[in-house]
Amino acid sequence: MGVLQKNLNSTTSIDWQEFKMLFNSNIQSSIEICISNETVAIGGNDFIIDDIALNRIESKSDTIILNYQPLLLKIEGPESVNCKDQTPKVIEAVSNKSQITYNWETTNGKILSRLDEQKLTIGTGGLYKVTIIDTLNNCKKQQ
């Protein structure tokens, strides 16, 4: 809201003076606004009122508790296997999540069990990788 003032007998430019006021109406559904001319001098009452607006400003808040646990993956089993060792060994993918799918793979080893199990039975040494997927959050981790 503002006040636009100009002496109607003058050729000078218009002087715009902005005026704003915030108030809390609480539960009131109506308000009375009174505008009065406080200048009593001759020629002092030449003014224009423009753009009176009443706007509703609301503030809302909420609390969100986020319990974030990153998807963890650890491989347990023999640290190393001799490439000539033909004795089956078991390696296991361990995670902090409960609903996990598994996908094992190797480029140079020998897999003796299913590729989608938590525990993998291997027949020889080699490089083995597992990708786990947290099916609740669709997060993936590979090791």
Side-chain angles (χ1 to χ4, degrees):
M1 178 164 49
V3 178
L4 184 63
Q5 296 181 336
K6 180 179 185 211
N7 183 341
L8 296 178
N9 296 327
S10 171
T11 58
T12 61
S13 64
I14 296 174
D15 180 24
W16 172 258
Q17 297 175 353
E18 185 175 16
F19 173 78
K20 290 182 180 179
M21 186 177 106
L22 292 174
F23 67 93
N24 186 348
S25 65
N26 292 322
I27 61 170
Q28 296 176 7
S29 60
S30 65
I31 186 169
E32 183 178 319
I33 298 174
C34 181
I35 301 171
S36 63
N37 180 10
E38 300 293 321
T39 305
V40 293
I42 297 176
N45 61 355
D46 303 323
F47 62 90
I48 300 170
I49 298 175
D50 187 22
D51 292 337
I52 296 177
L54 298 175
N55 298 310
R56 181 178 181 161
I57 301 173
E58 289 188 32
S59 175
K60 294 183 180 182
S61 64
D62 198 356
T63 302
I64 297 174
I65 298 173
L66 181 61
N67 185 8
Y68 170 73
Q69 291 182 331
L71 180 60
L72 300 178
L73 172 61
K74 183 172 108 178
I75 305 295
E76 293 181 350
E79 289 296 318
S80 63
V81 177
N82 183 330
C83 292
K84 294 180 183 179
D85 186 0
Q86 299 295 319
T87 307
K89 306 277 191 266
V90 175
I91 55 179
E92 180 179 3
V94 179
S95 178
N96 61 332
K97 304 290 183 169
S98 60
Q99 294 187 341
I100 298 288
T101 60
Y102 303 88
N103 184 23
W104 291 92
E105 60 183 272
T106 184
T107 55
N108 59 352
K110 184 177 180 183
I111 296 176
L112 301 175
S113 62
R114 291 179 42 167
L115 301 176
D116 61 351
E117 302 272 330
Q118 181 178 1
K119 293 181 180 181
L120 182 73
T121 304
I122 60 173
T124 64
L127 179 63
Y128 297 90
K129 292 183 190 177
V130 65
T131 302
I132 61 170
I133 301 171
D134 175 358
T135 56
L136 289 178
N137 301 304
N138 199 26
C139 296
K140 293 181 180 182
K141 182 117 184 175
Q142 184 180 61
Q143 185 168 338

Coordinates of all heavy atoms in Angstrom, one line a residue, residues 76-133:
E76 N 32.2 -62.2 3.2 CA 32.9 -63.0 4.2 C 33.2 -64.4 3.6 O 32.5 -64.9 2.7 CB 32.0 -63.3 5.4 CG 31.7 -62.0 6.2 CD 30.8 -62.2 7.4 OE1 30.2 -63.3 7.5 OE2 30.7 -61.3 8.2
G77 N 34.3 -64.9 3.9 CA 34.8 -66.2 3.4 C 36.3 -66.2 3.3 O 37.0 -65.3 3.9
P78 N 36.9 -67.1 2.6 CA 38.3 -67.2 2.5 C 38.9 -65.9 1.8 O 38.3 -65.4 0.8 CB 38.6 -68.4 1.7 CG 37.3 -68.7 1.0 CD 36.2 -68.1 1.8
E79 N 39.9 -65.3 2.4 CA 40.5 -64.1 1.9 C 41.2 -64.4 0.5 O 41.1 -63.6 -0.4 CB 41.6 -63.6 2.8 CG 41.0 -62.9 4.1 CD 40.1 -61.7 3.8 OE1 40.5 -60.9 2.9 OE2 39.1 -61.6 4.4
S80 N 41.8 -65.6 0.4 CA 42.4 -66.0 -0.8 C 42.3 -67.5 -1.0 O 42.2 -68.2 0.0 CB 43.9 -65.5 -0.9 OG 44.6 -66.2 0.1
V81 N 42.2 -67.9 -2.3 CA 42.1 -69.3 -2.6 C 43.1 -69.6 -3.6 O 43.2 -68.9 -4.6 CB 40.7 -69.6 -3.1 CG1 40.6 -71.1 -3.6 CG2 39.6 -69.3 -2.1
N82 N 43.9 -70.6 -3.4 CA 44.9 -71.0 -4.4 C 44.2 -71.5 -5.7 O 43.3 -72.2 -5.6 CB 45.7 -72.2 -3.8 CG 46.9 -72.6 -4.7 OD1 46.8 -72.5 -5.9 ND2 47.9 -73.1 -4.0
C83 N 44.7 -71.0 -6.8 CA 44.0 -71.3 -8.0 C 44.0 -72.8 -8.3 O 43.2 -73.3 -9.1 CB 44.7 -70.5 -9.2 SG 44.4 -68.8 -9.1
K84 N 45.0 -73.6 -7.8 CA 45.0 -75.0 -8.0 C 44.2 -75.8 -7.0 O 44.0 -77.0 -7.2 CB 46.5 -75.5 -7.9 CG 47.3 -74.9 -9.0 CD 48.8 -75.3 -8.9 CE 49.6 -74.7 -10.0 NZ 51.0 -75.1 -10.0
D85 N 43.7 -75.1 -6.0 CA 42.8 -75.7 -5.0 C 41.5 -76.1 -5.5 O 40.8 -75.2 -6.0 CB 42.7 -74.8 -3.7 CG 42.0 -75.5 -2.6 OD1 41.6 -76.6 -2.7 OD2 41.8 -74.8 -1.5
Q86 N 41.1 -77.3 -5.6 CA 39.8 -77.7 -6.1 C 38.8 -78.0 -5.1 O 37.7 -78.4 -5.4 CB 40.0 -79.0 -7.0 CG 41.0 -78.8 -8.2 CD 40.4 -77.8 -9.2 OE1 39.2 -77.9 -9.5 NE2 41.2 -77.0 -9.7
T87 N 39.1 -77.7 -3.8 CA 38.1 -77.9 -2.7 C 37.1 -76.8 -2.7 O 37.5 -75.6 -2.7 CB 38.9 -77.9 -1.3 OG1 39.9 -78.8 -1.4 CG2 37.9 -78.3 -0.2
P88 N 35.8 -77.1 -2.8 CA 34.8 -76.0 -2.8 C 34.9 -75.2 -1.5 O 35.1 -75.7 -0.4 CB 33.5 -76.8 -2.8 CG 33.8 -78.1 -3.4 CD 35.2 -78.4 -2.9
K89 N 34.7 -73.9 -1.7 CA 34.7 -72.9 -0.6 C 33.4 -72.1 -0.7 O 32.8 -72.0 -1.8 CB 35.9 -71.9 -0.8 CG 37.3 -72.6 -0.9 CD 37.8 -72.9 0.4 CE 39.3 -73.3 0.3 NZ 39.6 -74.7 0.2
V90 N 33.0 -71.5 0.4 CA 31.8 -70.7 0.4 C 32.2 -69.3 0.8 O 32.9 -69.0 1.7 CB 30.8 -71.3 1.5 CG1 29.6 -70.4 1.6 CG2 30.4 -72.7 1.1
I91 N 31.7 -68.4 0.0 CA 31.8 -66.9 0.3 C 30.4 -66.4 0.4 O 29.4 -66.9 -0.2 CB 32.6 -66.1 -0.8 CG1 32.0 -66.4 -2.2 CG2 34.0 -66.5 -0.7 CD1 32.7 -65.6 -3.3
E92 N 30.2 -65.4 1.3 CA 28.9 -64.9 1.6 C 28.8 -63.4 1.5 O 29.8 -62.7 2.0 CB 28.5 -65.4 3.0 CG 27.1 -64.9 3.5 CD 26.8 -65.4 4.9 OE1 27.6 -66.1 5.5 OE2 25.7 -65.2 5.3
A93 N 27.7 -62.9 1.0 CA 27.5 -61.4 1.0 C 26.7 -61.1 2.2 O 25.6 -61.6 2.4 CB 26.8 -61.0 -0.3
V94 N 27.2 -60.2 3.0 CA 26.5 -59.8 4.2 C 26.1 -58.3 4.1 O 27.0 -57.5 3.8 CB 27.4 -60.0 5.5 CG1 26.7 -59.5 6.7 CG2 27.8 -61.4 5.6
S95 N 24.9 -58.0 4.4 CA 24.4 -56.6 4.3 C 23.6 -56.2 5.6 O 23.2 -57.1 6.4 CB 23.5 -56.5 3.1 OG 23.0 -55.1 3.0
N96 N 23.4 -54.9 5.7 CA 22.6 -54.4 6.8 C 21.1 -54.4 6.5 O 20.3 -54.0 7.4 CB 23.1 -53.0 7.3 CG 22.9 -52.0 6.1 OD1 23.0 -52.4 5.0 ND2 22.8 -50.8 6.5
K97 N 20.7 -54.8 5.3 CA 19.3 -54.8 5.0 C 18.8 -56.2 4.9 O 19.5 -57.2 4.7 CB 19.1 -54.1 3.6 CG 19.6 -52.7 3.5 CD 18.8 -51.7 4.3 CE 19.4 -50.3 4.1 NZ 18.5 -49.3 4.7
S98 N 17.5 -56.4 5.0 CA 16.9 -57.7 5.0 C 16.3 -58.2 3.7 O 16.4 -59.4 3.4 CB 15.8 -57.8 6.1 OG 14.8 -56.9 5.9
Q99 N 15.8 -57.3 2.9 CA 15.2 -57.7 1.7 C 16.1 -57.4 0.5 O 16.1 -56.3 -0.1 CB 13.8 -57.0 1.5 CG 12.8 -57.5 2.5 CD 11.4 -57.0 2.2 OE1 11.2 -56.1 1.5 NE2 10.4 -57.7 2.8
I100 N 17.0 -58.3 0.3 CA 18.1 -58.1 -0.7 C 18.0 -59.2 -1.8 O 17.7 -60.4 -1.5 CB 19.5 -58.3 0.0 CG1 19.6 -57.2 1.1 CG2 20.7 -58.2 -0.9 CD1 19.9 -55.8 0.6
T101 N 18.3 -58.8 -3.0 CA 18.5 -59.8 -4.1 C 20.0 -59.8 -4.4 O 20.7 -58.8 -4.2 CB 17.7 -59.5 -5.3 OG1 18.1 -58.2 -5.8 CG2 16.2 -59.5 -5.1
Y102 N 20.5 -60.9 -4.8 CA 22.0 -61.1 -5.1 C 22.2 -61.5 -6.5 O 21.4 -62.2 -7.1 CB 22.5 -62.2 -4.2 CG 22.2 -62.0 -2.7 CD1 21.0 -62.4 -2.1 CD2 23.2 -61.3 -1.9 CE1 20.8 -62.2 -0.8 CE2 22.9 -61.1 -0.6 CZ 21.8 -61.5 0.0 OH 21.5 -61.3 1.3
N103 N 23.3 -61.0 -7.0 CA 23.7 -61.4 -8.4 C 25.3 -61.5 -8.4 O 26.0 -60.6 -8.4 CB 23.3 -60.4 -9.4 CG 23.6 -60.8 -10.8 OD1 23.8 -62.0 -11.1 ND2 23.7 -59.9 -11.7
W104 N 25.7 -62.8 -8.3 CA 27.2 -63.1 -8.3 C 27.7 -63.2 -9.7 O 26.9 -63.7 -10.6 CB 27.5 -64.4 -7.6 CG 27.2 -64.3 -6.1 CD1 26.1 -64.6 -5.4 CD2 28.2 -63.9 -5.1 NE1 26.2 -64.4 -4.1 CE2 27.5 -64.0 -3.8 CE3 29.5 -63.5 -5.1 CZ2 28.2 -63.7 -2.7 CZ3 30.1 -63.2 -3.9 CH2 29.5 -63.3 -2.7
E105 N 28.9 -62.9 -10.0 CA 29.6 -63.1 -11.3 C 31.1 -63.3 -11.1 O 31.6 -62.9 -10.1 CB 29.3 -61.9 -12.2 CG 29.8 -60.6 -11.7 CD 29.4 -59.4 -12.6 OE1 30.2 -59.1 -13.5 OE2 28.4 -58.8 -12.3
T106 N 31.7 -63.9 -12.1 CA 33.1 -64.1 -12.1 C 33.6 -64.1 -13.6 O 32.9 -64.4 -14.5 CB 33.5 -65.4 -11.4 OG1 35.0 -65.5 -11.4 CG2 33.0 -66.6 -12.2
T107 N 34.8 -63.6 -13.7 CA 35.4 -63.6 -15.1 C 36.5 -64.8 -15.2 O 36.8 -65.2 -16.3 CB 36.1 -62.3 -15.4 OG1 37.1 -62.0 -14.3 CG2 35.1 -61.2 -15.5
N108 N 37.0 -65.2 -14.1 CA 38.0 -66.3 -14.1 C 37.9 -67.3 -13.1 O 38.8 -68.1 -12.9 CB 39.4 -65.6 -14.1 CG 39.6 -64.8 -12.8 OD1 38.7 -64.6 -12.0 ND2 40.8 -64.3 -12.6
G109 N 36.8 -67.4 -12.4 CA 36.6 -68.4 -11.3 C 35.6 -69.5 -11.7 O 35.2 -69.5 -12.9
K110 N 35.2 -70.3 -10.8 CA 34.3 -71.4 -11.1 C 33.2 -71.4 -10.0 O 33.5 -71.6 -8.8 CB 35.0 -72.7 -11.1 CG 34.1 -73.9 -11.5 CD 34.9 -75.2 -11.5 CE 34.0 -76.3 -11.9 NZ 34.8 -77.6 -11.9
I111 N 32.0 -71.1 -10.4 CA 30.8 -71.0 -9.5 C 30.1 -72.3 -9.5 O 29.7 -72.8 -10.6 CB 29.9 -69.8 -9.9 CG1 30.6 -68.5 -9.8 CG2 28.6 -69.9 -9.1 CD1 29.8 -67.3 -10.3
L112 N 29.9 -72.9 -8.3 CA 29.2 -74.2 -8.2 C 27.8 -74.1 -7.7 O 27.1 -75.1 -7.6 CB 30.0 -75.1 -7.3 CG 31.5 -75.4 -7.7 CD1 32.2 -76.2 -6.6 CD2 31.6 -76.1 -9.0
S113 N 27.3 -72.9 -7.3 CA 26.0 -72.8 -6.8 C 25.2 -71.7 -7.6 O 25.7 -71.2 -8.6 CB 26.0 -72.4 -5.3 OG 26.7 -71.1 -5.2
R114 N 24.0 -71.5 -7.2 CA 23.2 -70.5 -7.9 C 23.8 -69.1 -7.7 O 24.3 -68.7 -6.7 CB 21.7 -70.5 -7.3 CG 21.0 -71.8 -7.7 CD 19.6 -71.8 -7.1 NE 18.9 -70.5 -7.2 CZ 17.7 -70.3 -7.0 NH1 16.9 -71.4 -6.7 NH2 17.1 -69.2 -7.1
L115 N 23.5 -68.2 -8.7 CA 24.1 -66.9 -8.7 C 23.2 -65.9 -7.9 O 23.7 -64.8 -7.7 CB 24.2 -66.3 -10.2 CG 25.1 -67.2 -11.1 CD1 25.0 -66.6 -12.5 CD2 26.5 -67.2 -10.6
D116 N 22.0 -66.3 -7.5 CA 21.1 -65.4 -6.9 C 21.0 -65.7 -5.4 O 20.0 -65.3 -4.8 CB 19.8 -65.3 -7.6 CG 19.1 -66.7 -7.5 OD1 19.7 -67.7 -7.2 OD2 17.9 -66.8 -7.9
E117 N 21.9 -66.4 -4.8 CA 21.9 -66.7 -3.4 C 22.8 -65.8 -2.6 O 23.8 -65.3 -3.1 CB 22.3 -68.2 -3.2 CG 21.4 -69.2 -4.0 CD 20.2 -69.6 -3.2 OE1 20.3 -69.7 -2.0 OE2 19.2 -69.9 -3.8
Q118 N 22.5 -65.7 -1.3 CA 23.4 -64.9 -0.4 C 24.8 -65.6 -0.3 O 25.8 -64.9 -0.3 CB 22.8 -64.8 1.0 CG 23.7 -63.9 1.9 CD 23.0 -63.7 3.3 OE1 21.9 -64.2 3.5 NE2 23.7 -63.0 4.1
K119 N 24.8 -66.9 -0.2 CA 26.1 -67.7 -0.1 C 26.4 -68.2 -1.5 O 25.5 -68.7 -2.2 CB 26.0 -68.8 0.9 CG 25.8 -68.3 2.3 CD 25.7 -69.4 3.3 CE 25.6 -68.9 4.7 NZ 25.5 -70.0 5.7
L120 N 27.7 -68.2 -1.8 CA 28.1 -68.7 -3.1 C 29.2 -69.7 -2.9 O 30.1 -69.5 -2.2 CB 28.7 -67.5 -4.0 CG 29.2 -67.9 -5.4 CD1 28.0 -68.1 -6.3 CD2 30.1 -66.8 -5.9
T121 N 29.0 -70.9 -3.5 CA 30.0 -71.9 -3.5 C 30.9 -71.8 -4.7 O 30.4 -71.8 -5.8 CB 29.3 -73.3 -3.4 OG1 28.5 -73.3 -2.3 CG2 30.4 -74.4 -3.2
I122 N 32.2 -71.8 -4.5 CA 33.1 -71.6 -5.6 C 34.0 -72.9 -5.6 O 34.3 -73.5 -4.6 CB 34.0 -70.3 -5.5 CG1 34.8 -70.4 -4.2 CG2 33.1 -69.1 -5.5 CD1 35.8 -69.2 -4.0
G123 N 34.5 -73.2 -6.9 CA 35.3 -74.4 -7.0 C 36.7 -74.1 -7.2 O 37.6 -75.0 -7.0
T124 N 37.1 -72.9 -7.6 CA 38.5 -72.5 -7.8 C 38.7 -71.0 -7.3 O 37.7 -70.3 -7.1 CB 38.9 -72.6 -9.2 OG1 38.1 -71.7 -10.0 CG2 38.7 -74.0 -9.8
G125 N 39.9 -70.7 -7.3 CA 40.3 -69.3 -7.0 C 39.9 -68.4 -8.2 O 39.6 -68.9 -9.3
G126 N 39.8 -67.2 -8.0 CA 39.5 -66.2 -9.1 C 38.9 -64.9 -8.5 O 38.9 -64.7 -7.3
L127 N 38.4 -64.1 -9.4 CA 37.8 -62.8 -9.0 C 36.3 -63.0 -9.0 O 35.8 -63.3 -10.1 CB 38.3 -61.7 -10.0 CG 37.7 -60.3 -9.7 CD1 38.2 -59.8 -8.3 CD2 38.1 -59.3 -10.8
Y128 N 35.7 -62.8 -7.9 CA 34.2 -62.9 -7.8 C 33.6 -61.6 -7.4 O 34.2 -60.9 -6.5 CB 33.9 -64.0 -6.7 CG 34.4 -65.4 -7.2 CD1 35.6 -65.8 -6.8 CD2 33.5 -66.2 -7.9 CE1 36.0 -67.1 -7.2 CE2 34.0 -67.4 -8.3 CZ 35.2 -67.9 -7.9 OH 35.6 -69.1 -8.3
K129 N 32.6 -61.2 -8.0 CA 31.9 -60.0 -7.6 C 30.4 -60.3 -7.3 O 29.8 -61.2 -7.9 CB 31.9 -59.0 -8.8 CG 33.2 -58.4 -9.2 CD 33.0 -57.4 -10.3 CE 34.3 -57.0 -10.9 NZ 34.1 -56.0 -12.0
V130 N 29.8 -59.5 -6.4 CA 28.4 -59.6 -6.1 C 27.8 -58.2 -6.2 O 28.4 -57.2 -5.8 CB 28.2 -60.3 -4.8 CG1 28.7 -59.4 -3.6 CG2 26.7 -60.6 -4.6
T131 N 26.6 -58.2 -6.8 CA 25.8 -57.0 -6.7 C 24.6 -57.3 -5.9 O 23.9 -58.3 -6.1 CB 25.4 -56.5 -8.2 OG1 26.5 -56.3 -9.0 CG2 24.5 -55.3 -8.1
I132 N 24.3 -56.4 -4.9 CA 23.1 -56.6 -4.1 C 22.2 -55.5 -4.4 O 22.6 -54.3 -4.7 CB 23.4 -56.7 -2.6 CG1 24.1 -55.4 -2.1 CG2 24.3 -57.9 -2.3 CD1 24.2 -55.3 -0.6
I133 N 20.9 -55.8 -4.3 CA 19.9 -54.7 -4.5 C 18.9 -54.8 -3.3 O 18.3 -55.8 -3.0 CB 19.1 -55.0 -5.8 CG1 20.1 -55.0 -7.0 CG2 18.0 -54.0 -6.0 CD1 19.4 -55.5 -8.3

